[in-house]
Amino acid sequence: MSTIISFSDAKISRDRRNYRPGACRHLHLALDDEGEIVRCSDCQVQVGAYWALTMLIERFQRERAALDARDAGLKELASRTLHLKAARVIESIWRGRKMAPLCPHCNEAILPEDGMGSSMASLDMVTRLRAARRGRS
């Protein structure tokens, strides 16, 4: 079974065969520049350069997938955080019981009993309307 592995500008095609490593997984490799050999630092066994390359590619792919998943999670968290920050600011003002937040458009006070969220508008429509208003001024 052939698999093509690509990262950056490099592409590596690989035929997979069953391989069963011994007791040592050879995760700590040492490169000998003079003899051009690769040794496992743990068990001192010489491993093939091909095997070392494929092991590094597999590790790279796992780490990249983990980073991509973490990046997606952080992006989702950042998008939710904006809404949470706005809600926390309004809630902290209301909890103070001496002040009320103002509507940024009409400067009217917004009270908890006003029923925040009972009326809604399309976010896409509101964003385009605001952009059009900014373009006119």
Side-chain angles (χ1 to χ4, degrees):
M1 172 162 84
S2 180
T3 304
I4 296 178
I5 302 163
S6 63
F7 53 92
S8 188
D9 294 336
K11 289 189 180 183
I12 299 170
S13 177
R14 177 177 178 202
D15 291 330
R16 291 193 179 262
R17 293 189 181 100
N18 291 334
Y19 173 74
R20 296 185 184 175
C24 183
R25 293 177 44 206
H26 310 307
L27 296 178
H28 304 111
L29 301 178
L31 304 176
D32 180 359
D33 292 334
E34 290 185 29
E36 295 181 352
I37 60 172
V38 182
R39 286 195 184 279
C40 174
S41 297
D42 296 331
C43 66
Q44 300 304 316
V45 169
Q46 180 177 339
V47 296
Y50 176 81
W51 181 89
L53 178 63
T54 58
M55 188 269 294
L56 290 172
I57 289 170
E58 289 170 358
R59 301 283 292 180
F60 175 80
Q61 286 180 322
R62 278 196 300 262
E63 294 298 322
R64 185 173 178 184
L67 285 174
D68 289 344
R70 191 167 74 176
D71 188 40
L74 287 173
K75 285 180 182 176
E76 182 199 345
L77 183 62
S79 69
R80 287 191 314 192
T81 304
L82 180 62
H83 299 288
L84 292 174
K85 284 181 182 177
R88 285 183 184 140
V89 167
I90 290 175
E91 186 178 5
S92 68
I93 294 171
W94 282 339
R95 284 180 185 240
R97 300 187 186 249
K98 294 189 180 197
M99 302 292 278
L102 297 178
C103 172
H105 304 100
C106 63
N107 284 332
E108 290 277 333
I110 302 171
L111 301 175
E113 56 267 13
D114 289 341
M116 290 282 288
S118 60
S119 299
M120 293 181 262
S122 165
L123 186 60
D124 185 46
M125 184 178 76
V126 170
T127 305
R128 284 190 279 155
L129 184 61
R130 284 185 181 184
R133 285 183 185 155
R134 278 190 218 118
R136 278 190 257 149
S137 56

